Amino acid sequence: MIKKMIMNADDFGMTEGNTIATLLAHADGIVSSTTCMMNMPFAEFALEEAKKYPDLGVGIHLVLTVGRPLVDGAKSYTDENGNFIRPKNYPEGHPSANPDELYVEWKAQIEKFIKVAGKKPTHIDSHHHVHLLPEHIEVAKRLARSTNSPKRRSIIRNL
């Protein structure tokens, strides 16, 4: 049967609670897909648990706005403590990462996903939809092509 609707649960791996809730929602037939945040404390737990649910689509939720990056040294999207800069702290209200630095970070997140999950992500999207920002979209497209993974597009149209 062809799926008519995909119900995706973001933020997989952010906390133990939301990870377990996502898996329970999938077991109950509500959630068919999730996206994992590879810089979060329960990311590895989430991906290991997901292996018990072969029908659950597991993609990657690329991160640029919460927690710490996987790669050290980027200046365009980290604060003085090495954490991702929250969107509200940017003058324009959203992150604007150097594309070369962003590619290295998001590639590291994808590589960690593949290492832990043992497979490529079913799709790519991002926390706070930052992969759709004009200055980031080409990086997201490049990474999606390199992993042969679909990239979630905005479903919000200009009103």
Side-chain angles (χ1 to χ4, degrees):
M1 174 167 44
I2 296 174
K3 288 183 184 179
K4 294 185 181 187
M5 185 168 98
I6 297 170
M7 184 64 69
N8 189 74
D10 290 345
D11 301 348
F12 199 50
M14 181 179 263
T15 68
E16 183 178 31
N18 84 317
T19 298
I20 292 169
T22 297
L23 294 171
L24 290 172
H26 172 69
D28 286 343
I30 299 165
V31 168
S32 54
S33 170
T34 189
T35 46
C36 193
M37 300 172 77
M38 296 312 300
N39 72 324
M40 290 287 110
F42 290 90
E44 292 181 25
F45 167 76
L47 291 177
E48 288 301 326
E49 288 298 304
K51 291 175 182 177
K52 299 174 186 174
Y53 301 87
D55 293 334
L56 177 63
V58 183
I60 188 165
H61 203 47
L62 298 171
V63 183
L64 183 61
T65 58
V66 64
R68 292 184 65 83
L70 298 183
V71 176
D72 290 329
K75 301 293 183 201
S76 65
Y77 54 77
T78 57
D79 63 18
E80 63 279 355
N81 298 315
N83 297 309
F84 284 125
I85 300 170
R86 302 287 296 182
K88 66 182 180 180
N89 295 330
Y90 282 93
E92 55 279 343
H94 62 79
S96 182
N98 170 286
D100 295 329
E101 289 180 348
L102 183 62
Y103 178 85
V104 171
E105 173 60 30
W106 281 355
K107 186 172 189 254
Q109 292 178 26
I110 291 170
E111 288 171 348
K112 182 177 179 183
F113 178 100
I114 293 168
K115 181 179 178 185
V116 176
K119 60 184 178 181
K120 293 179 180 179
T122 57
H123 68 288
I124 293 173
D125 66 19
S126 64
H127 195 58
H128 297 136
H129 307 285
V130 295
H131 74 290
L132 298 173
L133 293 170
E135 56 269 45
H136 302 157
I137 199 160
E138 291 306 316
V139 173
K141 286 179 183 179
R142 184 174 162 202
L143 288 164
R145 281 191 300 269
S146 74
T147 61
N148 198 29
S149 300
K151 177 186 64 65
R152 186 162 80 181
R153 292 180 285 173
S154 175
I155 58 171
I156 301 170
R157 304 285 182 241
N158 293 334
L159 301 176

